[in-house]
Amino acid sequence: MQKLLSNLKITINENIFLKDPESSDLGKRIVENSILLIDQIGFDDFTFKKLGAKIGSNESSIYRYFENKHNLLVYLASWYWSWTEYQLVFAINNIADPLKKLDLAIEVLTKTTTLDSTFKHIDEVVLKRIIIHEYSKSYLTKQVDLDNDEGYFSIYKRLVIRLKELIQEANKDYKYAFCLANTVIEGSLHQQYLKDHFKSISGLKPNEAPTEFYKDLVFNTLNISPNE
């Protein structure tokens, strides 16, 4: 899997950016340092002016890549979901058993993120924290329907569809496969947020991912066992 991932190129909807940040060293520095700065100060306080100061470049140079910080956040989220999708696809490749595939998919989607040396300018661990804390701000907006029409969320939606299809393979009679798929993907972010910030109402230990909870939830909901 790691050898295959070494040849991986993450492809993002061109409507999200003005110039592909992967096409230049400056673009990669913008992505790399935006992740670090958003993680440090939060998306609400993040500005292109502050990012420009961090990378030693004019604010105007960042605007040549992204129209605004909203699109930058959408780009980062799209990158994360695309990277996650590739991991899921590789994990279930050549697996015939639908229950085993679903079990592996849940593990990929809910596990603790580790650093991937394939992408030297992106810290996936830090990016995952941004997804946990800030991802909802990319779609809880007045222009969400316009953004959706432009394909801003196509990669995320594609990932949901993949999980929904795996759920249906495991139990073709289950009526709410989309609802369950969304619950796993969105809910795992929420559970990790609760673990970090509302410890008194989280059932997870400090270093525990919600993986086993979601396996338990999904397989009990489908009334099947991954060991069948």
Side-chain angles (χ1 to χ4, degrees), residues 50-183:
K50 292 176 182 177
L51 177 59
K54 183 174 178 63
I55 65 176
S57 180
N58 294 328
E59 182 181 358
S60 59
S61 66
I62 301 171
Y63 279 105
R64 288 200 287 271
Y65 289 85
F66 294 98
E67 183 178 355
N68 50 52
K69 73 173 190 176
H70 169 73
N71 284 31
L72 174 57
L73 180 61
V74 173
Y75 178 90
L76 296 178
S78 297
W79 195 98
Y80 173 80
W81 293 122
S82 183
W83 177 70
T84 302
E85 181 185 35
Y86 276 108
Q87 291 185 82
L88 188 155
V89 170
F90 284 127
I92 65 175
N93 188 39
N94 295 325
I95 303 294
D97 181 0
L99 301 188
K100 180 62 175 176
K101 285 199 291 185
L102 180 57
D103 186 74
L104 288 170
I106 295 170
E107 188 165 326
V108 168
L109 293 168
T110 62
K111 67 182 181 179
T112 300
T113 298
T114 56
L115 198 62
D116 183 352
S117 60
T118 306
F119 305 96
K120 299 186 184 305
H121 64 297
I122 293 182
D123 187 321
E124 293 83 7
V125 175
V126 178
L127 180 56
K128 176 63 173 292
R129 282 203 299 267
I130 292 174
I131 298 301
I132 291 171
H133 289 84
E134 313 283 7
Y135 173 59
S136 63
K137 294 173 184 175
S138 70
Y139 62 84
L140 293 179
T141 64
K142 287 292 186 181
Q143 74 265 23
V144 60
D145 293 326
L146 293 174
D147 289 351
N148 191 33
D149 289 342
E150 289 292 320
Y152 281 21
F153 311 108
S154 59
I155 297 173
Y156 172 77
K157 290 161 65 178
R158 192 170 67 212
L159 185 61
V160 173
I161 291 170
R162 285 189 185 276
L163 182 56
K164 171 252 187 186
E165 291 174 346
L166 292 174
I167 291 169
Q168 288 182 320
E169 283 184 44
N171 185 341
K172 61 182 176 59
D173 297 322
Y174 185 67
K175 298 187 296 182
Y176 306 108
F178 262 133
C179 294
L180 190 55
N182 280 304
T183 296

